[in-house]
Amino acid sequence: MKLPTDPAENLAALIRCPSVTPAEGGALTALEAMLKPLGFAVDRPTFSEDGTPDIENLYARRSGNGPHLMFAGHTDVVPVGDEAAWKHPPFSAAIDNGEMYGRGAVDMKGGIACFIAAVARHVEAHGGPKGSVSLLIAGDEEGPSINGTVKLLEWAASRGEKWDASLVGEPTNPDALGDMIKIGRRGSLSATITVHGRQGHVAYPHLADNPVRGLMTLVDALLNPAFDKGTKDFQPSNLEVTTFDVGNAATNVIPARATATFNIRFNDTWTDETLQAEIHNRLDKASGRKKYRKGRKEPIEFELVWRDRPSHVFLTRNDKLIDALAGSIKSVTGRKPKLSTTGGTSDARFIKDYCPVVEFGLVGKTMHMVDERVPLAELEMLTQVYQQFLADWFG
Ligand SMILES: [Zn+2]
């Protein structure tokens, strides 16, 4: 039987499945067809929740005696955008000048294709790793992320699955394969502040109370001073005001209320709780300030509403995992990867509750773009990195 040892063939089969979130698009069926001959037991649970589309996911495990490594990723892709703008149709997996074109080529069907090829080569050469390998593949990472990784982890754990380490195959390299491993992620918090004033005529301000002044005072207290200077492993925490709204079309009316929304990406100086407490503290203090208006008697009347679910900050400190991956990258690519915690959040933030997790995949330059594509040579190189990693980590 022919095993799926060729990453380009694996990737072509996956790209040809139009799995734009929330559609399965045939991608999980294609994965299952690759995994079964390698000895994986495959499950495809569908999860539901009111207000979001049902999502089919995949969990596959190849059991062995020894530690358990989980590879995590997603087969769903973002929409293609202007299809006519693509040099080659986005679900054709066309090869042009040594590069394969298609939505998901780097984010992240390519990473999955390489990992499967690496396992297949290991099975072919040595009969498979000395332990268990599983794939945890979500179908809604690019969408609401509600019926994917979080529920799949809970589902697998409730069936007794335990992992010793996880590798996420998202594109982590900014420029060249081997640039960067992600060993943690910043946390994220969002909130909306509303300041209540009293509406009135701009020519009679003593009869009104302008909430814009109050909101400026409060926002200023969040922007200054900086929350921290950064830590050994993380850049400084950063707050961005994303909206500042009054919704007042008239030039002669003092508005009744003003709102601002902000997001903070924070480092390991903080937890969600300590940072939320710091923000409440700053706002409470600032609400008594008279900075923007002399003679103010009452404190600024405001309310703060936290938005979305917070993302927790995390840092992986597992030398065996990090050293095995960094060493494999060095030996295949010749590059010493930077151990980084930059960028947005990823599904690693959910996996870290179950086992140590690191992220390494392709070069991210064309992800989500028109003409998303990957050099075939890079697919081969990533497959070799994963192969070496499997050999080293399982020992
Ligand atoms: Zn992705």
Side-chain angles (χ1 to χ4, degrees), residues 319-342:
D319 292 342
K320 181 190 169 191
L321 179 61
I322 295 169
D323 292 352
L325 185 56
S328 307
I329 292 164
K330 180 86 208 295
S331 79
V332 173
T333 69
R335 290 192 181 83
K336 187 169 182 280
K338 193 171 178 343
L339 307 181
S340 169
T341 56
T342 55

Side-chain angles (χ1 to χ4, degrees), residues 271-287:
T271 64
D272 314 347
E273 291 78 19
T274 59
L275 187 55
Q276 285 177 330
E278 167 71 12
I279 286 164
H280 278 292
N281 187 28
R282 286 189 183 201
L283 292 177
D284 287 342
K285 263 196 207 150
S287 71

Side-chain angles (χ1 to χ4, degrees), residues 79-342:
V80 300
D82 179 8
E83 189 159 349
W86 285 67
K87 191 172 176 196
H88 301 285
F91 301 112
S92 66
I95 294 172
D96 182 346
N97 199 20
E99 296 184 300
M100 185 178 289
Y101 284 68
R103 177 56 83 223
V106 296
D107 185 9
M108 61 157 281
K109 288 175 171 176
I112 298 173
C114 293
F115 186 78
I116 292 176
V119 173
R121 291 176 188 186
H122 206 295
V123 169
E124 209 168 60
H126 314 288
K130 293 187 197 68
S132 298
V133 178
S134 55
L135 280 88
L136 187 122
I137 306 296
D140 74 343
E141 199 273 344
E142 303 286 13
S145 292
I146 287 173
N147 292 316
T149 300
V150 175
K151 289 186 178 172
L152 197 50
L153 284 163
E154 285 168 5
W155 172 88
S158 76
R159 291 162 44 119
E161 291 294 288
K162 284 194 175 71
W163 305 278
D164 296 294
S166 173
L167 170 63
V168 176
E170 292 277 9
T172 50
N173 299 287
D175 291 307
L177 198 82
D179 281 344
M180 188 177 282
I181 301 176
K182 303 255 175 161
I183 57 160
R185 296 280 184 161
R186 288 179 294 172
S188 173
L189 277 177
S190 300
T192 297
I193 312 173
T194 302
V195 172
H196 300 282
R198 195 164 61 249
Q199 189 175 325
H201 195 300
V202 290
Y204 302 88
H206 55 288
L207 300 177
D209 177 14
N210 195 334
V212 173
R213 283 197 183 84
L215 190 57
M216 286 166 73
T217 305
L218 297 185
V219 166
D220 186 44
L222 294 181
L223 290 169
N224 300 294
F227 286 93
D228 54 68
K229 294 194 172 76
T231 65
K232 182 172 141 299
D233 299 294
F234 287 88
Q235 61 205 108
S237 300
N238 182 59
L239 182 144
E240 289 297 324
V241 177
T242 54
T243 65
F244 199 104
D245 303 315
V246 179
N248 179 19
T251 55
N252 58 354
V253 173
I254 290 172
R257 54 189 220 130
T259 67
T261 296
F262 62 87
N263 174 271
I264 310 184
R265 296 301 162 110
F266 60 95
N267 63 37
D268 56 352
T269 306
W270 308 94
T271 64
D272 314 347
E273 291 78 19
T274 59
L275 187 55
Q276 285 177 330
E278 167 71 12
I279 286 164
H280 278 292
N281 187 28
R282 286 189 183 201
L283 292 177
D284 287 342
K285 263 196 207 150
S287 71
R289 272 187 213 162
K290 299 174 177 64
K291 181 165 177 179
Y292 287 100
R293 189 174 57 170
K294 293 198 172 70
R296 162 182 283 286
K297 288 194 186 72
E298 311 81 39
I300 298 163
E301 192 194 321
F302 74 96
E303 63 206 41
L304 178 74
V305 177
W306 296 101
R307 304 269 300 264
D308 311 324
R309 283 174 299 183
S311 289
H312 310 292
V313 57
F314 76 94
L315 179 69
T316 297
R317 301 180 197 273
N318 182 294
D319 292 342
K320 181 190 169 191
L321 179 61
I322 295 169
D323 292 352
L325 185 56
S328 307
I329 292 164
K330 180 86 208 295
S331 79
V332 173
T333 69
R335 290 192 181 83
K336 187 169 182 280
K338 193 171 178 343
L339 307 181
S340 169
T341 56
T342 55

